[in-house]
Amino acid sequence: MSPKTKQLILMFEMLPEQEQELAYETVKRFVLAWDPDFTKVTPEERQHIDEAEKSGFISDDEIDWDNLEKYAD
């Protein structure tokens, strides 16, 4: 977690509950304006995704869930 995120959380927790709700709705509007479908990823998330895909990552729709034994080493 970044220092700014920690700072925001501490400030958020200092607010009365009603003001926390207002802050939450405001941040939610910012996020939805930036990414209405929650599909964008941060640079750090992109790095994790890229590393997972290069490591032999298998999409869940490619897995034969009825025959998992074929994936055992």
Side-chain angles (χ1 to χ4, degrees):
M1 184 181 314
S2 75
K4 285 235 189 256
T5 302
K6 290 178 185 177
Q7 230 177 352
L8 282 169
I9 290 170
L10 290 173
M11 288 188 288
F12 183 84
E13 289 178 337
M14 291 172 38
L15 296 171
E17 190 173 331
Q18 186 176 3
E19 298 302 320
Q20 286 183 7
E21 186 62 31
L22 176 62
Y24 170 79
E25 290 300 326
T26 302
V27 171
K28 183 175 162 184
R29 286 183 189 194
F30 287 138
V31 170
L32 289 174
W34 176 71
D35 185 8
D37 298 322
F38 290 97
T39 56
K40 294 182 184 176
V41 295
T42 65
E44 184 179 354
E45 290 170 327
R46 171 52 49 208
Q47 180 182 358
H48 289 302
I49 291 168
D50 291 343
E51 289 171 2
E53 289 176 345
K54 291 176 186 171
S55 71
F57 169 82
I58 300 173
S59 177
D60 66 340
D61 60 345
E62 296 174 17
I63 297 173
D64 181 357
W65 292 101
D66 295 324
N67 299 298
L68 291 177
E69 63 278 353
K70 71 181 184 182
Y71 301 107
D73 291 334

